[in-house]
Amino acid sequence: MSSRESILAAVRRNRPEPAPLPPVADFGGAATVEQFTHWLHFIGGQVIRLAAGQPLTDAVRQLYPEAVRVASDLIPATVPVDQHTPTAVLEAVDVAVLRGELGVAENGAVWVPEANMLHRALPMISQHLALVLDHRSIVATMHQAYAAVQHTGNYGVFIAGPSKTADIEQSLVIGAHGARSLVVLLR
Amino acid sequence: MKVGLFIPCYIDQFYPQVGIATYQLLEKLGVKADFPRQQTCCGQPMANTGCEQDAKPVYRHFVDTFRGYDYVVAPSGSCVYHVRKHYDVVEQTAQVQHVRQATYDLFDFITSVLGVTELPGRFPHQVGLHLSCHGQRGLHQANESEMTPVREGQLSRLLRTVDGLTLTELNRNDECCGFGGTFCITEEAVSARMGQDRVQDHVLNGTEVLTGGDMSCLMHLEGIVRRRQLPMRVMHAAEIFNAALQQPSKPVSTFVPGAVAAL
Amino acid sequence: MSHPLRAAAFTSDAERTTWHDETLWFVRQKRDKAVYGIPEFQQLRQLASDIKEHTLSRLDEYLEQFEQNARANGVQVHWAADAEEHNRIVLDLIRKAGATSLVKSKSMLTEECHLNPYLVNNGIAVVDTDLGERIVQLREEAPSHLVLPAIHLKKEDVGETFHQHLGTPKGEKDPQALTEAARLHLREKFLIGEVAITGVNFAVAETGAVVVCTNEGNADLGVNLARVHIACMGLEKLIPRTADLGVFTRLLARSATGQPVTTYTSHFARPAAGREMHIVIVDNGRTRQLGRPDFRASLKCIRCGACMNTCPVYRRSGGHSYDFTVPGPIGAILSPNIDMRQHSSLPFASTLCGSCTDVCPVKIDIHAQLYKWRQIIAQEGELPAAKKLGMKLLSSVLARPGIYRLGGKIAREGLRFLPHGLTHAQALNPWAKARELPEAPKQSFRDWYAQQAVKQ
């Protein structure tokens, strides 16, 4: 008998009494820009509200005046990135400016599906990350976020703030392996 | 109402004043408790060591001793918790079920059965309350900090009604003292360290009298207080109330004898 | 060596014990603050518990559904009955990929299976990429906590380790600088891009996706740069629906560290074009635990570590005192299922205070299971002989009121009249190492009560 068969047989043999699958309630909550901003700040990120009609390119230039290598499909990029881009090129990206699909008010997370990433590694390998988000696409909780996303696709990530660690004496350090900073540009 | 007093073994031998205070306090609240002489122990020391099987004769003896009482009251939440929670391994006769339901921690009894919400009297000291885990997390006599920031419970409410008494605000409101029954011997190092840390919290925050509803925790903490010769008294809460509450001028109990059957 | 001995060694450094306790208590407080902020938190715990209970009751069906969906996504699914088979499967996959090195993000399962030494012995260079895991890997130690693997170390210790292995300046102990050094060191490893191993936090039956939660981004960086992704999971990681992730992601990070959510919550369902993804589903004793009604709830565990942070014993004895992959209260109920004899002291490394049960986000009755393991360990004859005999003796006394009264009197009188040096001899009486015995009174309560009766 293969391990697959023997494991499944053991599971069946030891199956507990049936227990119902509960429906997951939507607990409501505030789907506000204020909550989203509060929590993103709390976890080390930053929210910038774009003024009406302010070009995204200007905002990015103001935020990252030193950035030479910018990858993006939203503004003119200096580094073209697609799924075939070699690692060495990805590794040199200073800033990636990508589209976030939706934001979660209760924790500052932003849903970034594969289609928005240019390359799957880009949001993590880039030194800095800016996510552009429509303020109308903020939901209250993770329940509502998963309900809105429906299917998480081939690959997708909720990104909540910059990469961080507290593995040395519980001292919080921003910029572990992924992006050293995260800005959400709300429009 | 027939109330049987259960005085746990170590209180009987080493802290008789706690048994006396319990008895007298109940008397002041209008309850004449009876102490059946054949009582021994609830069996917890064996069961917590893994020897539940060995404890069964002790469980049966406990039930035999107290089956004739409407209530069994003990100044020890831990023993009460054990009777209620762990006497499920002997046959659930009507007597066993009755004794399990009828066994109360002293302050739960005073609050829930007698309906007493305040105990007038005077005790002009800063009192540090040690919440015992079995009373708090087991019998839910106080809010757990794991659940809510509100520090409220039967015993703290009663203590606040005593004139002149101030309660210590602790850094850690409800951390375990480290007694843990045979744990205090088998894991001596961690047990002692836990006790020292609890005592230190009280020292830092100005406790003059360290109290609680469970003498086993207090025995452990008192052992540390005395070893370190700290200027702190350790008293069971029954002793505090009994000292504070001289003969009550008006009845403080809303309890109506004869209403027992309805409870 | 048993838990008490290792714990005593840990507490003998009083200052470090204080630091360890306070650091983890701080994490517990952060957890409390996060929990108090969510009014429905207790309902979420119940939901999570119910979802897991349901999943366990139909685990075979969900495993098959998951496998089918994962395969349809182009993922290869492997089954391992035990640690040895798991390690063999992983090694085979690495060899087939023609790789000699790999990066690995946090996976308690691979720790449980002792994958690292196995791969190293077979000539594979393994690099743990979680900062804490990398630190303990360089030191050739085991992680001491589920979520904070290097919590037993001070920054000076890490500085010394990095000085030796990564060439940081001697005496450098600034966490920021040390983390930066690790970032640069590990980037090189990520860029090699051969094989990436990850653990799995949740496996979603209805989509075949696995969800990995990290703060550092190391899982995503590793996987997305590697040709081959191998995700290793215990079979209890299943959940039925994507919607269930809403419940678990709200609980996990809040319970673990007090964060509102982990930085990266990553959903891997299909490999990128031209790359491979494998999932290894491991039993290694889990179906046996499923068959133990008293203990199967331990399979609901989502490895948040909250029970460790809250455990007053863990905080003062350190993760290594448990000598098991998963330390703390949850480890103490998982370990006897693996090897009861070896881990027989762990269910006793608790005061049964119940705080672990109260913080558990999936409502595992941890302290009740500790109590039940004690009963089984005693029945199986794994108690130390003195303890066993003592309890038999105690029981025979306590069931006989006459003997009991005599015994109590002897104990009290003994305490009254024997010299303090004898009653408090530390070699004979562990109680007396740090504590005084009660001052024995002249009269017991029962004697007083009898006198009252006479007076009346």
Side-chain angles (χ1 to χ4, degrees):
Chain A
M1 195 159 54
S2 71
S3 288
R4 179 186 184 279
E5 296 317 312
S6 67
I7 290 169
L8 286 171
V11 171
R12 284 185 199 111
R13 214 167 37 242
N14 295 326
R15 226 166 107 137
E17 288 296 294
L21 178 63
V24 174
D26 179 339
F27 291 93
T32 62
V33 169
E34 288 68 34
Q35 277 295 305
F36 179 79
T37 306
H38 166 81
W39 285 110
L40 191 57
H41 281 190
F42 182 81
I43 58 181
Q46 201 187 342
V47 174
I48 291 179
R49 290 204 75 162
L50 294 172
Q54 184 187 6
L56 188 58
T57 317
D58 291 359
V60 171
R61 198 173 300 132
Q62 270 176 25
L63 266 173
Y64 309 98
E66 313 276 311
V68 178
R69 289 164 296 230
V70 179
S72 181
D73 56 347
L74 304 173
I75 57 170
T78 53
V79 184
V81 172
D82 64 22
Q83 54 174 317
H84 305 296
T85 304
T87 301
V89 175
L90 292 172
E91 209 260 326
V93 171
D94 295 319
V95 186
V97 182
L98 304 172
R99 197 157 60 85
E101 281 305 305
L102 67 92
V104 187
E106 69 162 330
N107 57 26
V110 177
W111 174 245
V112 185
E114 179 178 23
N116 299 15
M117 293 179 184
L118 308 182
H119 183 288
R120 284 189 182 195
L122 183 60
M124 297 88 198
I125 201 167
S126 172
Q127 294 293 329
H128 300 274
L129 178 62
L131 295 171
V132 181
L133 188 68
D134 187 327
H135 74 274
R136 287 162 303 186
S137 54
I138 289 175
V139 298
T141 64
M142 292 303 285
H143 306 300
Q144 292 166 21
Y146 278 108
V149 168
Q150 286 198 338
H151 197 292
T152 53
N154 295 338
Y155 172 62
V157 185
F158 281 103
I159 300 178
S163 161
K164 61 173 92 58
T165 183
D167 275 349
I168 301 173
E169 278 201 9
Q170 274 294 289
S171 305
L172 180 68
V173 178
I174 302 283
H177 300 304
R180 294 174 188 275
S181 74
L182 178 115
V183 176
V184 170
L185 294 156
L186 270 187
R187 61 177 175 193
Chain B
M1 175 173 60
K2 251 186 106 182
V3 174
L5 203 54
F6 172 55
I7 299 298
C9 29
Y10 64 97
I11 295 183
D12 177 28
Q13 293 299 333
F14 299 118
Y15 296 98
Q17 71 276 19
V18 175
I20 295 167
T22 302
Y23 179 84
Q24 291 179 340
L25 178 63
L26 285 171
E27 202 168 33
K28 288 173 188 173
L29 297 173
V31 174
K32 185 88 178 152
D34 183 36
F35 176 82
R37 255 177 74 79
Q38 72 271 31
Q39 65 178 274
T40 57
C41 169
C42 69
Q44 180 171 208
M46 287 140 288
N48 278 5
T49 311
C51 302
E52 208 170 41
Q53 295 309 318
D54 295 331
K56 282 179 176 176
V58 183
Y59 295 178
R60 291 192 198 98
H61 180 71
F62 186 95
V63 171
D64 281 347
T65 304
F66 288 106
R67 65 188 180 194
Y69 292 92
D70 300 318
Y71 292 100
V72 186
V73 177
S76 163
S78 189
C79 307
V80 172
Y81 174 73
H82 193 75
V83 171
R84 287 208 194 161
K85 164 108 179 150
H86 291 299
Y87 276 30
D88 57 344
V89 293
V90 290
E91 195 196 337
Q92 295 301 293
T93 61
Q95 288 168 351
V96 170
Q97 287 181 31
H98 165 70
V99 168
R100 287 178 72 188
Q101 282 162 12
T103 301
Y104 275 81
D105 162 75
L106 173 64
F107 301 105
D108 195 12
F109 179 76
I110 289 175
T111 311
S112 311
V113 179
L114 299 186
V116 172
T117 53
E118 47 187 86
L119 287 168
R122 190 163 163 76
F123 194 77
H125 299 285
Q126 181 171 341
V127 172
L129 172 60
H130 175 71
L131 287 170
S132 295
C133 302
H134 283 168
Q136 184 198 21
R137 297 195 187 86
L139 299 171
H140 305 292
Q141 288 176 270
N143 285 332
E144 296 117 309
S145 62
E146 293 87 351
M147 308 283 182
T148 163
V150 180
R151 297 180 170 192
E152 197 50 314
Q154 291 173 341
L155 195 43
S156 61
R157 273 196 297 267
L158 284 175
L159 285 166
R160 276 199 198 91
T161 65
V162 174
D163 193 22
L165 187 153
T166 50
L167 270 182
T168 304
E169 273 295 316
L170 292 163
N171 296 345
R172 301 188 189 181
N173 189 48
D174 52 11
E175 180 156 84
C176 176
C177 68
F179 172 66
T182 48
F183 177 88
C184 75
I185 302 297
T186 55
E187 289 268 6
E188 183 277 331
V190 178
S191 170
R193 180 61 209 241
M194 285 168 70
Q196 288 158 355
D197 290 350
R198 275 302 67 231
V199 167
Q200 188 61 17
D201 197 351
H202 284 276
V203 169
L204 285 174
N205 291 292
T207 294
E208 293 168 56
V209 178
L210 176 54
T211 195
D214 207 313
M215 203 57 222
S216 55
C217 308
L218 295 179
M219 172 169 71
H220 165 68
L221 294 171
E222 188 201 33
I224 288 161
V225 167
R226 283 180 43 228
R227 171 62 57 89
R228 300 200 155 182
Q229 300 183 320
L230 297 169
M232 190 186 288
R233 263 198 299 163
V234 179
M235 294 171 79
H236 191 279
E239 294 178 85
I240 292 182
F241 290 124
N242 190 45
L245 189 73
Q246 294 311 323
Q247 286 312 313
S249 49
K250 55 182 168 86
V252 289
S253 165
T254 58
F255 180 76
V256 184
V260 186
L263 281 167
Chain C
M1 199 152 85
S2 64
H3 184 272
L5 291 172
R6 288 186 295 260
F10 188 87
T11 54
S12 67
D13 187 340
E15 222 172 290
R16 194 174 269 247
T17 305
T18 301
W19 179 83
H20 192 262
D21 166 59
E22 286 177 352
T23 305
L24 287 161
W25 180 254
F26 178 63
V27 182
R28 155 77 206 270
Q29 286 178 304
K30 286 197 291 182
R31 172 259 173 215
D32 288 349
K33 213 173 154 203
V35 167
Y36 301 157
I38 304 292
E40 63 268 27
F41 198 84
Q42 300 307 327
Q43 285 163 273
L44 290 173
R45 288 177 72 216
Q46 190 61 50
L47 267 176
S49 171
D50 290 348
I51 293 167
K52 282 283 186 181
E53 213 157 289
H54 164 79
T55 313
L56 290 175
S57 79
R58 288 175 50 180
L59 191 57
D60 50 331
E61 294 167 40
Y62 284 124
L63 281 166
E64 286 180 308
Q65 187 192 4
F66 173 75
E67 179 191 41
Q68 193 181 5
N69 287 326
R71 288 209 164 124
N73 293 335
V75 176
Q76 294 176 51
V77 179
H78 313 264
W79 299 73
D82 53 26
E84 199 245 316
E85 188 175 12
H86 163 265
N87 293 350
R88 213 172 48 232
I89 290 169
V90 172
L91 179 64
D92 279 353
L93 293 172
I94 296 165
R95 287 199 169 141
K96 271 186 203 145
T100 55
S101 74
L102 63 87
V103 288
K104 183 157 78 70
S105 68
K106 185 129 77 208
S107 154
M108 292 316 291
L109 176 73
T110 59
E111 291 287 339
E112 172 188 323
C113 295
H114 304 290
L115 178 67
N116 283 14
Y118 175 83
L119 293 180
V120 170
N121 285 340
N122 282 282
I124 309 294
V126 181
V127 176
D128 280 316
T129 57
D130 173 84
L131 176 59
E133 295 247 308
R134 185 62 179 153
I135 293 166
V136 296
Q137 186 185 31
L138 291 173
R139 296 173 63 91
E140 297 180 25
E141 289 176 356
S144 67
H145 188 288
L146 282 178
V147 177
L148 319 162
I151 196 64
H152 59 291
L153 298 171
K154 307 269 289 195
K155 59 190 177 205
E156 291 80 7
D157 304 325
V158 178
E160 186 53 34
T161 302
F162 279 16
H163 172 64
Q164 283 172 26
H165 294 273
L166 309 184
T168 53
K170 183 138 186 87
E172 179 62 79
K173 56 177 185 180
D174 172 42
Q176 184 89 42
L178 293 173
T179 303
E180 183 62 24
R183 178 184 171 103
L184 298 176
H185 156 73
L186 287 166
R187 276 240 160 181
E188 290 170 20
K189 309 292 181 188
F190 286 124
L191 298 180
I192 296 169
E194 290 192 298
V195 173
I197 293 180
T198 67
V200 170
N201 289 91
F202 308 102
V204 184
E206 72 175 2
T207 62
V210 296
V211 180
V212 181
C213 305
T214 73
N215 280 328
E216 300 181 6
N218 54 320
D220 297 86
L221 206 45
V223 169
N224 295 332
L225 295 175
R227 282 184 285 122
V228 178
H229 173 198
I230 306 171
C232 303
M233 57 175 270
L235 50 75
E236 81 283 16
K237 295 294 171 192
L238 263 287
I239 54 172
R241 309 163 294 197
T242 298
D244 299 323
L245 289 169
V247 176
F248 289 102
T249 53
R250 296 190 79 194
L251 289 166
L252 178 62
R254 288 187 175 96
S255 298
T257 59
Q259 292 170 257
V261 70
T262 48
T263 306
Y264 301 91
T265 305
S266 308
H267 309 65
F268 299 92
R270 183 186 291 271
R275 304 190 183 212
E276 282 175 38
M277 179 172 166
H278 300 266
I279 296 173
V280 189
I281 301 174
V282 184
D283 180 347
N284 204 36
R286 286 164 176 75
T287 53
R288 185 171 62 237
Q289 191 84 322
L290 188 66
R292 300 180 192 262
D294 282 345
F295 302 111
R296 64 167 59 115
S298 63
L299 293 171
K300 297 194 286 191
C301 176
I302 57 172
R303 304 290 192 264
C304 70
C307 61
M308 293 164 203
N309 305 336
T310 203
C311 179
V313 177
Y314 173 90
R315 277 189 265 109
R316 292 172 182 82
S317 65
H320 290 155
S321 68
Y322 293 82
D323 195 27
F324 184 66
T325 314
V326 180
I330 181 70
I333 61 172
L334 291 172
S335 57
N337 178 54
I338 303 294
D339 186 338
M340 193 188 300
R341 175 159 297 183
Q342 193 193 337
H343 303 295
S344 65
S345 69
L346 295 189
F348 294 91
S350 164
T351 59
L352 304 180
C353 77
S355 187
C356 47
T357 301
D358 280 354
V359 295
C360 179
V362 289
K363 299 189 86 166
I364 302 170
D365 53 345
I366 302 175
H367 76 296
Q369 293 195 28
L370 288 168
Y371 178 89
K372 286 172 183 163
W373 272 120
R374 292 180 182 189
Q375 310 307 325
I376 291 180
I377 286 165
Q379 276 165 30
E380 302 281 322
E382 298 294 341
L383 278 189
K387 214 177 196 179
K388 203 159 94 187
L389 188 68
M391 289 303 141
K392 283 228 180 297
L393 199 67
L394 188 58
S395 172
S396 66
V397 170
L398 294 176
R400 293 175 181 77
I403 302 175
Y404 162 77
R405 282 196 292 273
L406 183 65
K409 196 172 158 68
I410 291 169
R412 180 165 46 81
E413 300 283 327
L415 208 49
R416 280 187 71 203
F417 296 113
L418 290 174
H420 184 273
L422 184 61
T423 57
H424 287 69
Q426 299 190 4
L428 301 172
N429 182 1
W431 171 278
K433 279 188 193 164
R435 292 160 289 210
E436 290 295 302
L437 287 163
E439 278 173 326
K442 286 184 190 153
Q443 196 181 35
S444 68
F445 173 77
R446 62 179 62 235
D447 293 343
W448 174 86
Y449 183 82
Q451 276 182 359
Q452 299 301 301
V454 171
K455 277 186 210 159
Q456 288 166 10

